Amino acid sequence: MLGGAIPPVCPAWQHARMKRFPFVLMACLCSLAPDLRAQGTLGDYQRAAALASTFRRAGDTFRPQWHWLDGGSSLWFRQRLSGGRSEFVRIGRDGVKKRAATLEELGVADGPERLEARREWGRSEASTEATTITFKNALQRTVRVLWIDTSGKPSLYGEIRPGETREQPTYAGHVWVCDFAANDLAGAFVASGAPGVAVIDEDSVQRARPAPRPRHARVFVRDDNVYVGNEGEEVQLSNDGKPEDPYASPRAWSPDGSKVLGFQTEPGEPHTIHMVESMPKGQVQPKLHSRDYTKPGDRIARPRPRLFDVKAKRQIPIEDAPFADAWSIDRVHWAPDGSEVYVLFNQRGHQLLRVLAIDATTGAVRIVLEERSDTFIDHSQKTVLYWLDASGEFLWASERDGWNHLYRVNCKTGEMVQLTRGEWVVRRIEHVDEVSREVWFGALGIRAGQDPYHEHLARVGFDGDGLVTLTTGDGTHEWVFSPDRSLFVDRWSRVDQPWVTELRRARDGSQLAELGRDRAEGLLAAGFRPPERFVAKGRDGKTDIHGILILPTNLDPHRRYPIIEDIYAGPHDHFVPKTWGLGLRQRAIAELGFAVVQIDGMGTNWRSRAFHDVCWRNLKDSGFPDRIAWIQALAAQRPELDATKVGIFGGSAGGQSALAALLHHGDFYKVAVSDCGCHDNRMDKIWWNEAWMGHPVGPWYADNSNVTHAGKLQGKLLLTVGELDQNVDPASTMQVVGALIAADKDFDFVIVPGAGHGIGESPYLARRRQDFFVRHLLGVEPRR
């Protein structure tokens, strides 16, 4: 590591750099020609427009469909070769690869593979591996066939009559659903890399049907109250329900079916927003759209748990006080013996989170576990509550020691055992084995010396012993386990390292074999430059801030390149890419003669508690002191970067930050493009804004508003918004426009008729963004 820069280690990239040195030298010698030194030229625009298709064609990815054999003792896959050929590869626990031209030669049963009928499914995978599914209808009923696309949307592909067979061309990883009608499933099937057979028969129908539910007494709601019993034998269990405070039908039954928990909820106040569609299809006159859209400070629904003894036909009173001012009461779970029912209570303001136990006999409420924070509890992103019924415990995630870690909690005593610890964070639970008393999880920062945002797979015992990190590659990882969980396929990459796919043992993480790699040679030959990773100290002079740098394909070290930051500082996640990809949005800008950077400053998620807390009641900060320090450190090492000409762009929360850059740091940022920004957090959706800005709405909301500070605008600003934005109220942008006009500020503004959230990424506004930066950072008129 040299002065904060992390050099690319992709061998193909290093080789390409060495090969190109004479050509770079020639470009330097020729750089005196005015047209060669120019930036934002017609040629730059044409090259930028062609990048997407050029790089997509040049990519060579390794994405086979995995087929496990004997429960997971080995797997096979089909690998593409040059010239449109392919071969089959089999590998077992010994790590030895066997290659063959046919499955029969590989020792795998040849012929179509019978596909397993499923009850649940997701979206189809993006795949180019062609295959087929042969549907066989062995029922006496006609079935419909639907394809599920990569967004999860179903499309009808006709019907198959009783006894008929149909061969359907498809791709590996694509999902097909057979049903009789909506909500009447006959089976879902996922295409594999080899031809498959989907048999629709009684077995598939039974597999597709949900597990039978225990039979309970009939409990229902009438006139806002709860009743039990069959018609003519109904008994009213509650009598205080009314339209302004109704009961919902109880659904959480005790294990023996004698008791049930439900909720009585006083509705929140409606908050209707209105939007006018200027050019509706099919008519000339504008069209009014209205919707309910709850905002910070609004009165929200007031739920309270209600317990009923169905066998005794009575309500068991529960005190309301422990549930006062609830944001949510959920995760209902009964103790296996039915003695208590547990709920997760999150108080509005997100500073108090409790697991509460309700006595099933008396209705008394006790605190099992409590989390408190002077800032906020990251309820929306970090809540982990995994019940261990066999031992009367649960797994829990907490930042109480300053980092997000796992704990085991006793339901009766509340005693906590910390399972993980250290200056790294648990991202998610992957698997829990209650027999071996181990938990598998994804962790960020667990590998010392690597990027703290890289996700690795790890395992730890229920007593905090036996911690082992199962992945090693210097990158971020994703994994797929064999059916018996003895092996797993590990895929990892970095922004400067193409995907590597390995087969590993689940017990100790040892590598059995490398299965394949994405190849970068074609991309590099087409001019692709991998992003450069860079690390610099933040505002405190101690904390590492991570980001990337994207440069144009025709980089000339003798030119000066203005810097443009692509910003999104939402506290719910981190946003700098960590995996290999094309980064086409940033490249379309860089190619015009810019250096594009992306940075995760303080206030974003998945570092320490202190790192995250910077955002609390302080969204206008957006990590700017860290971002500016990072850019200055980068420019100090790279003389071709011009830190006196810095632009910034973003959408949604990024749009809020992009404008804030000119309002609060106009001495550094000179040009901003802000799309669909939530410029005043009182105007945006309630959940996201109260999560970080808190409740009640205090003066800090106004202090963080771009409307409040509009008069401080420096530099050049382009605002964009869609008039029908359903995510962020477009009136938020209009209020900023009004404040800028009132302050007599010059700016550009585009409102797009009929458009929704994120319209700034449309071809028209993406081009306008390019032109805006060329005009105001390069100082030339765009030549398209």
Side-chain angles (χ1 to χ4, degrees), residues 2-14:
L2 177 61
I6 306 177
V9 297
C10 170
W13 166 236
Q14 291 178 326

Side-chain angles (χ1 to χ4, degrees), residues 171-303:
Y171 294 91
H174 280 210
V175 178
W176 293 83
V177 171
C178 297
D179 69 5
F180 305 110
N183 301 315
D184 192 2
L185 184 65
F189 304 89
V190 180
S192 67
V197 175
V199 178
I200 303 103
D201 55 12
E202 293 297 339
D203 181 63
S204 75
V205 172
Q206 289 304 314
R207 288 174 177 269
R209 295 289 163 84
R213 297 180 179 179
R215 295 182 64 86
H216 298 300
R218 178 173 175 258
V219 175
F220 60 96
V221 170
R222 177 192 295 155
D223 298 329
D224 304 312
N225 281 289
V226 176
Y227 289 75
V228 63
N230 296 318
E231 189 173 351
E233 301 176 352
E234 299 161 352
V235 175
Q236 187 170 347
L237 299 183
S238 70
N239 55 28
D240 60 337
K242 47 192 174 184
E244 60 270 22
D245 194 11
Y247 282 79
S249 183
R251 291 285 183 264
W253 288 91
S254 63
D256 65 359
S258 65
K259 298 182 178 72
V260 65
L261 186 80
F263 288 89
Q264 183 180 11
T265 304
E266 179 183 315
E269 63 176 318
H271 189 138
T272 304
I273 63 172
H274 306 282
M275 291 171 278
V276 174
E277 185 177 5
S278 305
M279 299 177 62
K281 292 182 180 179
Q283 65 186 65
V284 174
Q285 298 304 317
K287 182 178 179 180
L288 177 66
H289 296 264
S290 301
R291 60 168 298 201
D292 191 51
Y293 186 96
T294 310
K295 296 184 178 183
D298 287 353
R299 179 171 57 81
I300 62 174
R302 187 172 70 94

Side-chain angles (χ1 to χ4, degrees), residues 302-321:
R302 187 172 70 94
R304 291 94 68 211
R306 298 291 185 251
L307 183 61
F308 301 95
D309 186 331
V310 176
K311 188 175 181 180
K313 294 183 173 57
R314 69 184 183 93
Q315 182 173 358
I316 301 172
I318 300 174
E319 185 181 359
D320 285 348

Side-chain angles (χ1 to χ4, degrees), residues 64-78:
Q65 186 82 9
W66 310 115
H67 305 269
W68 297 99
L69 300 171
D70 304 323
S73 63
S74 63
L75 65 77
W76 69 268
F77 59 93
R78 184 167 67 180

Side-chain angles (χ1 to χ4, degrees), residues 125-167:
E125 298 177 7
S127 170
T128 58
E129 186 176 353
T131 185
T132 61
I133 293 181
T134 300
F135 294 99
K136 293 184 177 181
N137 184 2
L139 299 171
Q140 297 303 309
R141 303 171 62 185
T142 297
V143 296
R144 304 191 307 172
V145 178
L146 301 99
W147 173 63
I148 309 300
D149 68 17
T150 54
S151 68
K153 181 181 177 181
S155 297
L156 183 63
Y157 267 65
E159 297 179 338
I160 303 177
R161 295 177 180 175
E164 286 188 350
T165 297
R166 178 202 295 178
E167 184 177 87

